[in-house]
Amino acid sequence: MEPRRHLPFRILGPLEVNAADGSSVPIPQPKKRRLLSLLLLARGRWTSTEQIRAVLWDAEPPPSAIGNIKTYVSDLRQVLPAGETAELSRIQGRAGGYRLNVAATEVDVCLFEDLARRGQDARWGGDDSRAIGLLGEALAMWRGEPYEELSEEVVHAEAARLRELRAVVHEDLADALLDRGQYDRVLPMLRALTLEYPLRERVWGQYLVAASCSGHRADALAAYRTAYHLLSRELGVEPSVELRRIHAQVLAGEPAAAAAPRPSRTAVGRSAGVGRSAGAGREEGS
């Protein structure tokens, strides 16, 4: 794939459009940015004019809404970089809707998923060095929240899917670093992840391993107490068997180790489930 700076469309954060030479294509008008973001969300599927109108105008659309949409589309056609299939218009229209002709190689979210998949395949194959590079590159795609131009109501399902995959990629990267004994490198990352994902037990377990193995046993024990109280207060459950096992190893002064399996090759994709909920695989009580 092309380097990140040459991607025509970047939506893992504020919308960015780039020309073939890497220069930025300015699209300052909010409604045009929202329209393009909506077409990128559909990625090649048709989006109805009614849906566009509802997204572009939070309040009652004006009588001129349909005409305005046609103008916005015309303006975008003038400035968007040409697609891989040059004979097709970048934005196609038909009665009642529009779609954006865009290839997977042109959008950062697709590159993120591809890098995540390849990184997980490398983990599966035992090549942690390659996995670290690919998973780190995947995470570097993110510059903020996905589809920032659109409301959470519009992007909820897709944004939730991407955030979950990002969390799993963080966890897979941490496991690869732990497997290579890079505790000092992974510890600051895991400390930040416990704040970002306070109810993900896999992250807490990884932090306990990294802290104890890098000589910070007291920090590991304090982290377990924090996780215990968070899970109890927020979810009404106790830590999982796995997290309790790691805690027992730290208490006993034994080398702690996470027992996370190699990731599944099917972990990445629109219909594939990723990660695990805070309560999955849990025993009731202690």
Side-chain angles (χ1 to χ4, degrees):
M1 284 196 176
E2 291 297 310
R4 292 191 298 275
R5 64 182 178 275
H6 294 310
L7 285 172
F9 302 103
R10 301 170 76 176
I11 53 180
L12 290 173
L15 173 68
E16 287 187 8
V17 179
N18 297 299
D21 61 2
S23 62
S24 177
V25 176
I27 303 177
Q29 299 91 340
K31 282 187 170 55
K32 292 179 187 177
R33 295 175 63 84
R34 208 178 301 173
L35 170 57
L36 180 55
S37 296
L38 186 61
L39 295 176
L40 281 165
L41 178 64
R43 287 208 292 282
R45 301 187 301 275
W46 290 97
T47 302
S48 71
T49 304
E50 287 303 312
Q51 184 180 1
I52 295 172
R53 183 166 63 173
V55 170
L56 263 55
W57 284 273
D58 299 326
E60 186 69 22
S64 60
I66 299 299
N68 290 347
I69 291 171
K70 291 180 179 179
T71 299
Y72 300 152
V73 168
S74 177
D75 291 347
L76 287 172
R77 284 171 172 157
Q78 299 300 313
V79 299
L80 292 182
E84 292 185 355
T85 308
E87 62 270 18
L88 291 178
S89 171
R90 179 61 94 171
I91 301 179
Q92 287 184 293
R94 69 179 184 186
Y98 297 92
R99 73 176 175 187
L100 181 72
N101 286 311
V102 60
T105 52
E106 297 180 300
V107 189
D108 61 351
V109 67
C110 298
L111 178 56
F112 162 70
E113 291 178 309
D114 178 71
L115 289 166
R117 183 182 295 109
R118 288 160 56 199
Q120 290 175 336
D121 283 348
R123 280 278 292 151
W124 180 273
D127 190 349
D128 283 332
S129 178
R130 176 171 170 76
I132 289 169
L134 289 168
L135 296 173
E137 191 176 353
L139 292 170
M141 294 284 101
W142 288 68
R143 300 167 293 111
E145 287 298 308
Y147 303 98
E148 286 193 4
E149 315 296 329
L150 301 174
S151 69
E152 181 66 21
E153 180 183 5
V154 173
V155 302
H156 173 73
E158 175 67 353
R161 182 188 73 85
L162 290 170
R163 292 183 191 117
E164 172 66 15
L165 179 54
R166 177 174 176 265
V168 172
V169 171
H170 267 126
E171 292 168 339
D172 289 343
L173 175 59
D175 271 341
L177 291 167
L178 290 172
D179 284 352
R180 292 179 67 84
Q182 298 184 22
Y183 306 119
D184 290 334
R185 176 181 173 184
V186 74
L187 189 58
M189 182 182 84
L190 286 168
R191 187 177 291 115
L193 291 179
T194 61
L195 298 176
E196 185 173 359
Y197 309 117
L199 299 179
R200 294 186 77 93
E201 291 182 82
R202 186 179 173 193
V203 170
W204 284 108
Q206 291 170 327
Y207 181 81
L208 263 65
V209 171
S212 63
C213 290
S214 58
H216 301 285
R217 181 170 177 269
D219 289 346
L221 295 174
Y224 180 80
R225 290 193 294 271
T226 299
Y228 187 101
H229 291 305
L230 280 170
L231 293 168
S232 176
R233 183 179 71 244
E234 300 295 330
L235 302 178
V237 298
E238 293 185 347
S240 65
V241 173
E242 170 65 8
L243 188 53
R244 295 204 306 269
R245 178 190 65 79
I246 297 173
H247 176 239
Q249 289 177 325
V250 177
L251 272 177
E254 300 173 356
R262 296 279 174 177
S264 167
R265 281 190 169 94
T266 61
V268 183
R270 286 183 176 273
S271 60
V274 292
R276 90 169 173 71
S277 65
R282 179 189 311 288
E283 291 182 351
E284 293 296 330
S286 57

